[in-house]
Amino acid sequence: MGDGTVVGFPGRSGRGGTSRVAVIGAGLSGLACAERLAGRGLDVTVFDKGRAAGGRMATRRADAGGGAGSPRFDHGAQYFTARDPRFRSRVDDWVARGAAACWTGRIVRIGEGGGIEESPGERFVGTPGMTAPARLLAESVTPRSGVRVAEVVPGDGGWQLRDEAGRDLGSYGRVAVAVPSPQAVPLLAEAPDLAAAAADAIMAGCWSVLVRFPRPLGLAYDGAFVGASPLSWIARDSSKPGRDAGGGETWVLHGSPEWSQRHIEDDQAEVIARLTAAFRELAGIGPVQAGYLAAHRWRFSIPLRGLEQECLYDPERGLGACGDWCLGGRVEGAFLSGLALANRILADGTPV
Ligand SMILES: Cc1cc2nc3c(=O)[nH]c(=O)nc-3n(C[C@H](O)[C@H](O)[C@H](O)COP(=O)(O)OP(=O)(O)OC[C@H]3O[C@@H](n4cnc5c(N)ncnc54)[C@H](O)[C@@H]3O)c2cc1C
């Protein structure tokens, strides 16, 4: 997505003019940042501790082997909106390339007394799963997966990165930290003002329970924001475009931030029992046997308190951070935050 102009950096603050940039995190913010920088000719290396790109835009198969007939669940981000024209045009591109589609399911709000209100709006999902848009973005930057960056320390030509075993991951003129705020704090330790700003953001935990029912439940909605319950969100995942639940239905149940935080150290079986009981009560479901049940713990799901600034960047040090906790708290915010950090890094360089 570059415009053909190549950017180089002046030799400032001892960074030796290297145009190598490290991006830590291959979620949407890191990928958006990396793609823009690579498109302007910078030498970008993206690291991610996970097996695949996408971060919290995550999809998993019901059976660990991932067989073709095994239903998928979006256990992280449920959908995304696209209000900013820059993000909207990217979403349109994903839709055109088959990596996203509009989810036209009926979404409602269920209040304390069980009253139902419509929650209209244009909502998009990745197809066939939530990781698909990240996979497209990752094509241009090929992240190094399975690498957890443990240290960002001053080194030759700028910054040296090391993994948990102290192994050298290379030297870089600029570093973009694109991970949830609590994980960003130690990576920003050499820039105490940035670390302190990141520490100011608060992220909520979330338990996500995945259920497959062998037969349709017959509920009149496809997704619901839930009040006054251990649950805050329930979704018929199989109602999203491109999903196949093999004749049955898949549901994703999210514990509310308060409930999830209180139970964050509970074991999975206990969480599954509590949240499926809340779901059965809410939806008035009898003793339908679930064919598959699993739980996923997100220690950091969405920001309860974000920074409301596009990104963090210290041009003297060549170190910055981006992510949903900087801007907007959602997929769209993460993308825009990544772009903003890329622009700050590019503004720090000299077109050549
Ligand atoms: C349960 C849940 C529900 C959500 N629902 C919605 C929703 O409906 N709509 C919406 O818009 N948003 C939703 N979100 C939020 C959305 O997923 C995020 O806003 C967005 O995906 C954040 O992208 P990011 O790039 O900022 O961070 P992430 O996606 O978290 O990416 C960070 C990446 O950094 C990697 N990483 C972390 N530490 C290191 C390290 N030391 N070294 C290397 N790699 C590292 C991680 O593996 C990860 O891939 C939800 C999130 C969750 C968890």
Side-chain angles (χ1 to χ4, degrees):
M1 295 279 159
D3 59 8
T5 315
V6 176
V7 170
F9 292 121
R12 198 140 48 92
S13 303
R15 285 195 301 275
T18 173
S19 62
R20 293 187 76 202
V21 182
V23 176
I24 307 172
L28 216 64
S29 65
L31 290 172
C33 179
E35 184 205 47
R36 174 137 179 79
L37 294 174
R40 294 292 299 275
L42 298 191
D43 178 1
V44 183
T45 306
V46 182
F47 297 97
D48 199 287
K49 67 183 170 64
R51 269 181 309 192
R56 282 170 278 157
M57 288 184 82
T59 304
R60 86 185 215 193
R61 292 256 191 198
D63 80 56
S70 161
R72 289 187 177 85
F73 294 88
D74 296 330
H75 58 295
Q78 295 295 291
Y79 63 83
F80 47 91
T81 50
R83 300 190 174 103
D84 183 282
R86 290 165 297 171
F87 186 57
R88 179 62 199 230
S89 80
R90 185 53 65 95
V91 172
D92 289 344
D93 178 57
W94 294 339
V95 170
R97 297 169 73 182
C102 204
W103 181 27
T104 54
R106 180 182 177 214
I107 311 298
V108 301
R109 288 183 185 280
I110 305 180
E112 194 164 349
I116 289 187
E117 263 176 46
E118 300 301 317
S119 178
E122 192 180 34
R123 297 176 169 96
F124 295 91
V125 294
T127 51
M130 214 59 176
T131 46
R135 283 216 190 113
L136 267 191
L137 274 171
E139 278 175 5
S140 61
V141 288
T142 324
R144 283 182 60 186
S145 53
V147 182
R148 182 191 291 266
V149 178
E151 282 184 284
V152 178
V153 291
D156 275 354
W159 296 105
Q160 195 193 1
L161 270 53
R162 296 199 194 106
D163 71 7
E164 290 163 302
R167 281 184 292 254
D168 182 14
L169 297 172
S171 296
Y172 303 88
R174 306 289 186 283
V175 175
V177 176
V179 306
S181 55
Q183 295 168 328
V185 172
L187 298 174
L188 295 169
E190 292 291 335
D193 43 340
L194 300 191
D200 208 37
I202 299 175
M203 299 202 63
C206 178
W207 272 109
S208 183
V209 169
L210 319 175
V211 196
R212 179 177 181 277
F213 294 101
R215 287 185 302 283
L217 297 179
L219 299 189
Y221 48 80
D222 298 301
F225 300 99
V226 185
S229 163
L231 296 163
S232 58
W233 166 258
I234 58 176
R236 187 186 347 243
D237 211 49
S238 46
S239 71
K240 296 177 179 175
R243 274 67 171 174
D244 176 11
E249 279 187 353
T250 50
W251 283 81
V252 173
L253 322 174
H254 283 168
S256 70
E258 304 72 33
W259 192 92
S260 296
Q261 207 51 55
R262 251 196 336 274
H263 294 273
I264 203 79
E265 300 303 339
D266 287 5
D267 68 37
Q268 292 198 12
E270 179 69 14
V271 169
I272 289 171
R274 300 280 292 272
L275 293 184
T276 52
F279 176 56
R280 286 175 189 279
E281 189 186 328
L282 181 82
I285 304 166
V288 185
Q289 196 65 38
Y292 172 83
L293 277 166
H296 184 93
R297 173 178 37 214
W298 293 99
R299 287 195 184 276
F300 313 118
S301 64
I302 51 169
L304 288 181
R305 183 173 74 203
L307 303 189
E308 296 315 323
Q309 48 182 307
E310 289 186 313
C311 62
L312 299 174
Y313 189 59
D314 179 338
E316 284 306 310
R317 292 187 172 98
L319 184 60
C322 59
D324 61 341
W325 53 274
C326 291
L327 184 69
R330 292 289 183 273
V331 168
E332 178 166 16
F335 181 88
L336 295 174
S337 176
L339 278 191
L341 180 55
N343 288 338
R344 295 291 305 276
I345 291 173
L346 290 168
D348 195 14
T350 316
V352 290

